[in-house]
Amino acid sequence: LVAATCCSASAQDRVALLISNSDYPSGKLPGSREDIEQLGQALEAAGFAVTIKENVRDFRRELESFNLASPDGGVSLFYYSGYANRFERRVSQTVTRPDGTRVKMESKEVVAGLLPSGKNPTQGYPLADITRTFKDRSAARLHLVFLDCGRVNPALKKAEWQGLGQLKASEFPSAMVCTASAPGTSLPEGTSSLLTQSVARNVTARDLPIGKVMAKIRDEVVTTSGGKQEPWFGFSLAKDATAKAIPAHKRNISTGKLPPTNPSAGDEWINGLGMVFCWCPAGAFRMGLADTSTPQT
C-alpha cells in the first residue's frame, strides 16, 4: 500500500519526499509513520512542498518522479525511515576474447540498499541506484538526504547483512548526507532511532548554515539517547556545509505549471520538470557593448 499526502498550492523553491516503510514480514516498525508525519508538518510550515509516501515498494518510480520535479536551483530533501540491508546480486557481462569469440561471465557482488516494504529481507533497492537518480534527474542546488535506517532488522539472519555499509557523501551531487548511525554500523538491538524527531525540530532553522544545523542534530541525538545513538553526516563538497536550507530571503514560487494569472514582474513558477521561470514584462533593450573597439567574448 502506498499512501500519499501533499503539499500546499504554492511554496518556496523547496521540495521534500518523505518515505516511511514500516510494514515488513518481520512485523511493524514502530514510530516510523508518526515521526515522518511530524517531520512533514515542520517542513510544510517552513515552506517546503511535501510529499509523504508509506510502505513504498518501487523506489525507482518515486525517486525519479521526485527528482525530475525538484526546482531548478532549489533545495531538495529526501528522508527515508525504514530498514536497510546488504545483499548479494548477480552481475553478468559479455567479454570478447583475443580470438574474437564472446563469452558471458557471471559473478556475485554485495551491495547496500533500502528495503522495500513487504519484501523478502534479502532483497533491496541498491543505494548506488539512488545516487545515480539524483545525479541524472535533479537540478536542485542543494540535496539533503537522510537515511534513517540504522535499526536492527530481526528478519536478517546474518549480522553482516545489517545496515548500509560504507557510504560516501561525495557520490551525491551537491549534497548533505546523513545516516542514523555511522556507516557500517547499526543501532543497538531494540533501540529506536531519535533522528527523525531531532531533524523535525532543527532542520528548518532559518538562515543557519546546514553544517551547523547538522552538528546540532547530532549532538542532540547523542545527548537524548544517552550515547546510544550518534548520527553521521557528510558533505559532497566543503562549500555545501555553508549552504542554507531556509534562507532569510523569502522567495515565493508558484507550483502551478502555467504562468500566474495577471503576473507582475518577477513572479516565478515551476513547470512539471522542476524548471523555474520568471515573468519579464514586454519591452526592448540594447544587447552588446556601446564601445565596439572592446573585444567581445
Side-chain angles (χ1 to χ4, degrees):
L1 174 65
V2 178
T5 62
C6 198
C7 14
S8 52
S10 62
Q12 302 285 342
D13 55 342
R14 300 187 286 271
V15 293
L17 172 62
L18 315 180
I19 293 179
S20 169
N21 274 10
S22 59
D23 187 8
Y24 291 100
S26 58
K28 295 283 186 179
L29 192 61
S32 175
R33 176 179 177 180
E34 293 78 9
D35 287 349
I36 285 294
E37 289 178 349
Q38 177 186 352
L39 176 58
Q41 292 171 2
L43 292 172
E44 282 190 340
F48 276 81
V50 178
T51 299
I52 297 178
K53 298 284 185 175
E54 294 181 45
N55 298 322
V56 169
R57 298 185 180 182
D58 189 347
F59 280 98
R60 184 185 305 277
R61 182 182 64 183
E62 301 297 346
L63 285 166
E64 286 186 354
S65 176
F66 170 67
N67 279 301
L68 279 174
S70 295
D72 189 2
V75 177
S76 160
L77 188 150
F78 171 60
Y79 200 104
Y80 169 74
S81 174
Y83 286 131
N85 67 338
R86 279 170 275 181
F87 56 96
E88 285 186 343
R89 69 173 177 180
R90 290 183 177 273
V91 179
S92 62
Q93 59 180 338
T94 301
V95 178
T96 302
R97 292 173 171 171
D99 61 2
T101 60
R102 296 168 64 86
V103 59
K104 186 176 181 180
M105 303 182 64
E106 290 191 352
S107 61
K108 290 182 179 180
E109 65 176 0
V110 176
V111 298
L114 308 184
L115 190 59
S117 177
K119 289 288 187 178
N120 186 309
T122 61
Q123 299 174 346
Y125 185 77
L127 189 61
D129 291 354
I130 293 175
T131 60
R132 189 179 305 114
T133 301
F134 276 86
K135 287 181 178 179
D136 295 345
R137 305 280 180 167
S138 176
R141 66 173 173 82
L142 177 65
H143 302 90
L144 306 177
V145 180
F146 294 88
L147 303 175
D148 191 357
C149 45
R151 303 172 183 87
V152 172
N153 185 349
L156 292 176
K157 296 180 180 180
K158 296 181 179 180
E160 59 266 29
W161 295 137
Q162 298 282 354
L164 286 173
Q166 296 303 313
L167 176 65
K168 295 180 180 179
S170 59
E171 295 175 348
F172 288 82
S174 190
M176 184 290 305
V177 182
C178 174
T179 56
S181 58
T185 69
S186 299
L187 300 178
E189 191 166 359
T191 300
S192 296
S193 175
L194 302 176
L195 180 61
T196 313
Q197 297 172 19
S198 184
V199 171
R201 285 190 293 267
N202 296 290
V203 77
T204 57
R206 187 169 298 279
D207 215 29
L208 194 65
I210 192 64
K212 292 185 177 180
V213 172
M214 294 310 304
K216 184 176 181 180
I217 289 172
R218 178 196 58 206
D219 294 345
E220 181 179 281
V221 171
V222 170
T223 300
T224 306
S225 68
K228 294 181 179 180
Q229 180 179 3
E230 181 175 354
W232 170 90
F233 64 91
F235 295 90
S236 300
L237 302 169
K239 69 178 182 65
D240 294 332
T242 64
K244 298 171 183 177
I246 313 290
H249 172 67
K250 188 175 183 181
R251 183 185 179 193
N252 285 315
I253 301 181
S254 170
T255 55
K257 297 181 182 180
L258 298 175
T261 305
N262 299 320
S264 301
D267 285 352
E268 295 177 292
W269 71 98
I270 305 172
N271 73 357
L273 296 177
M275 299 171 65
V276 179
F277 293 84
C278 181
W279 180 266
C280 298
F285 69 99
R286 185 178 183 86
M287 185 174 181
L289 300 174
D291 182 3
T292 56
S293 65
T294 302
Q296 299 186 32
T297 57

